[in-house]
């Protein structure tokens, strides 16, 4: 597996992010979909990575700088057909290493409260994330759960 910074220009990434947005819209009410589209992921405060197994895109993830000590994980996704093979854990490990290298003291994330998000929440819990209240510009939302990890 190879993880690299990505410029979001390849069609494989467009397809994976479209799958991600479509799935979030199917599961969550419109006001609770916090997934970012291509334009928002190109923001200068976001670094976006992709994971590849040979020529196959097997996952993606991003790290948004909230301030000099706090980052937010965004757009963690593995193609539905390739789940449960370690790409999500590898991407999460990579993002946390990058957050530590930047000197962040904390990394947070927003995820869904529905059962479909349970595997993601279990992955985050397995590396030490704990549940917390909203952070940044988020508000309380019954469709969202917030998690944070002290680094």
């Amino acid at each position: 597996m190879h993880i690299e910074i990505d410029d979001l220009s390849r069609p494989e990434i467009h397809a994976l992010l479209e799958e991600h947005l479509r799935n979030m819209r199917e599961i969550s009410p419109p006001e609770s979909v916090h997934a970012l589209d291509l334009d928002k992921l190109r923001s200068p405060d976001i670094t976006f990575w992709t994971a590849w197994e040979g020529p196959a895109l097997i996952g993606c993830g991003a790290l948004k700088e909230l301030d000099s000590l706090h980052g937010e994980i965004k757009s963690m996704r593995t193609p539905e057909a390739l789940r449960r093979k370690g790409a999500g854990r590898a991407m999460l490990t990579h993002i946390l290493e990058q957050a530590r290298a930047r000197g962040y003291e904390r990394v947070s994330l927003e995820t869904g409260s529905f059962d479909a998000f349970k595997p993601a929440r279990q992955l985050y819990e397995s590396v030490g994330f704990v549940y917390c209240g909203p952070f940044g510009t988020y508000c309380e939302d019954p469709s969202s759960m917030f998690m944070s990890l002290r680094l």
Side-chain angles (χ1 to χ4, degrees):
M1 179 184 320
H2 171 73
I3 296 176
E4 62 186 48
I5 290 179
D6 203 285
D7 67 2
L8 296 149
S9 65
R10 293 177 274 194
E12 298 94 335
I13 295 145
H14 296 188
L16 180 56
L17 290 173
E18 184 52 43
E19 174 188 303
H20 182 56
L21 287 168
R22 184 175 51 252
N23 185 237
M24 295 304 99
R25 290 178 186 131
E26 290 169 356
I27 297 171
S28 301
E31 68 277 6
S32 299
V33 175
H34 301 289
L36 302 177
D37 63 20
L38 281 167
D39 288 336
K40 290 180 181 162
L41 284 168
R42 289 186 175 114
S43 175
D45 60 347
I46 295 176
T47 305
F48 185 84
W49 292 275
T50 49
W52 300 84
E53 191 71 57
L57 176 63
I58 60 171
C60 66
L63 182 60
K64 178 179 181 178
E65 184 168 296
L66 299 176
D67 63 46
S68 63
L69 300 176
H70 189 191
E72 178 184 4
I73 294 176
K74 299 293 294 179
S75 300
M76 284 277 296
R77 185 70 179 195
T78 301
E80 197 163 333
L82 300 174
R83 294 201 176 142
R84 314 286 311 159
K85 296 182 180 182
R89 183 170 299 279
M91 182 60 69
L92 179 58
T93 298
H94 181 79
I95 291 172
L96 293 176
E97 287 170 357
Q98 295 299 311
R100 286 182 181 96
R102 293 179 183 186
Y104 291 170
E105 293 179 356
R106 182 168 57 125
V107 176
S108 301
L109 61 92
E110 179 275 338
T111 190
S113 61
F114 305 109
D115 285 346
F117 295 96
K118 188 174 182 179
R121 292 192 307 264
Q122 289 173 328
L123 172 63
Y124 299 130
E125 289 171 354
S126 75
V127 298
F129 276 84
V130 296
Y131 293 93
C132 63
F135 59 90
T137 60
Y138 292 105
C139 300
E140 286 289 344
D141 179 347
S143 299
S144 291
M145 298 185 91
F146 305 97
M147 301 178 83
S148 190
L149 175 68
R150 288 258 170 226
L151 299 176

